[in-house]
Amino acid sequence: MVDLPYWTVVNLLRGILSPVCRIEVRGTRQVPAGPWILACNHLSHFDPPLIAGAFSRPIDFLAMRELFQPASFGFLMRSCRVIPVGRKQADTKALKTALHRLKVGRIVGVFPEGGLRAGKTSVLEGAPLTEGVSLLSSRSGCPVRPAVIVGSDQLYVGRNWLRRPRVVIAVGEPISAPRAKEDRKGWTDQLAREMRKLYAEVKRSHRLEDVVLPKTPQERWKAGR
């Protein structure tokens, strides 16, 4: 697969977002080539371009099918190798596409929280993950690397674009694919624990202030920051 369109779009978005936020990374430049799966928490609609720009290798994200409209935006998404997935039911087509991407050596990015999450609804604060990532990992045999993004939700407030808020993106060590008879829920819970562990390390090592810590868009809008 040719990644020229991917990097063209990623570099364009990086050029737009870099002046309005300070992006700090941990481990993202040292990741190996695929195949493997990236599993990250999901705070805002800004996450995919911010994460893509933080890594030195292309990532084929799964994204809700609704985001492929209008057609012009759908063309842009497909140019970046984004895989459309249905929200409400098991999407076998998306699964087959993701498995094929892994088979040919790609990195597939997923947000296993099932949508935008902050506070008690987020894996970072103890909420469970969906088990789709364990299915993708077990079917492909590919390891999963936990990742966290913190601070991207600050971009929901317009005035924050002027003060260049901190956004931290970190990736952890890989977790082997579930064994044939391994409990899928138990494996998913292990991934959730690793994501929370990585989040705790990031908070400590980057000395994150309260304003950077995850909040819902509604909390951001109410506080104005």
Side-chain angles (χ1 to χ4, degrees):
M1 295 183 180
V2 178
D3 289 312
L4 181 59
Y6 175 92
W7 288 120
T8 299
V9 176
V10 167
N11 288 331
L12 174 63
L13 293 173
R14 182 189 287 153
I16 295 172
L17 293 172
S18 293
V20 299
C21 61
R22 292 167 288 158
I23 302 172
E24 303 170 25
V25 300
R26 171 177 170 170
T28 63
R29 303 298 185 186
Q30 294 77 42
V31 296
W36 52 272
I37 302 163
L38 180 77
C40 190
N41 67 300
H42 200 5
L43 284 174
S44 78
H45 294 87
F46 302 98
D47 292 348
L50 286 168
I51 295 168
F55 280 82
S56 58
R57 299 186 184 277
I59 300 172
D60 298 1
F61 283 101
L62 281 92
M64 294 181 298
R65 197 176 302 278
E66 294 87 342
L67 296 177
F68 283 72
Q69 297 297 327
S72 57
F73 195 70
F75 175 79
L76 182 67
M77 299 275 275
R78 289 184 174 86
S79 297
C80 292
R81 306 288 185 185
V82 179
I83 303 168
V85 60
R87 182 200 294 264
K88 296 183 179 179
Q89 68 280 337
D91 192 329
T92 56
K93 182 178 180 180
L95 176 61
K96 289 179 180 178
T97 301
L99 288 171
H100 174 72
R101 300 286 179 87
L102 292 167
K103 185 177 180 180
V104 299
R106 307 289 293 184
I107 299 169
V108 172
V110 300
F111 296 107
E113 290 177 302
L116 301 180
R117 299 287 185 267
K120 297 302 180 182
T121 65
S122 170
V123 62
L124 302 184
E125 297 296 335
L129 297 174
T130 62
E131 295 181 16
V133 64
S134 67
L135 176 62
L136 181 60
S137 181
S138 63
R139 290 277 187 91
S140 65
C142 293
V144 176
R145 285 179 177 264
V148 296
I149 182 168
V150 185
S152 62
D153 50 308
Q154 297 174 90
L155 296 177
Y156 280 127
V157 178
R159 69 174 65 180
N160 285 342
W161 290 55
L162 299 176
R163 70 175 182 85
R164 299 191 71 230
R166 299 172 70 192
V167 175
V168 182
I169 301 166
V171 63
E173 294 300 316
I175 300 172
S176 299
R179 296 183 298 273
K181 296 184 179 180
E182 187 171 358
D183 173 49
R184 186 176 296 170
K185 182 180 183 303
W187 184 93
T188 305
D189 289 345
Q190 177 194 357
L191 173 61
R193 288 193 296 271
E194 290 301 317
M195 292 174 73
R196 287 191 282 271
K197 178 181 176 182
L198 182 60
Y199 175 52
E201 292 173 356
V202 165
K203 284 198 297 183
R204 181 177 62 253
S205 62
H206 287 258
R207 299 183 179 181
L208 298 184
E209 310 94 328
D210 179 71
V211 69
V212 183
L213 300 183
K215 295 173 178 61
T216 65
Q218 292 77 14
E219 290 174 316
R220 291 288 182 194
W221 293 327
K222 183 177 181 180
R225 63 174 188 160

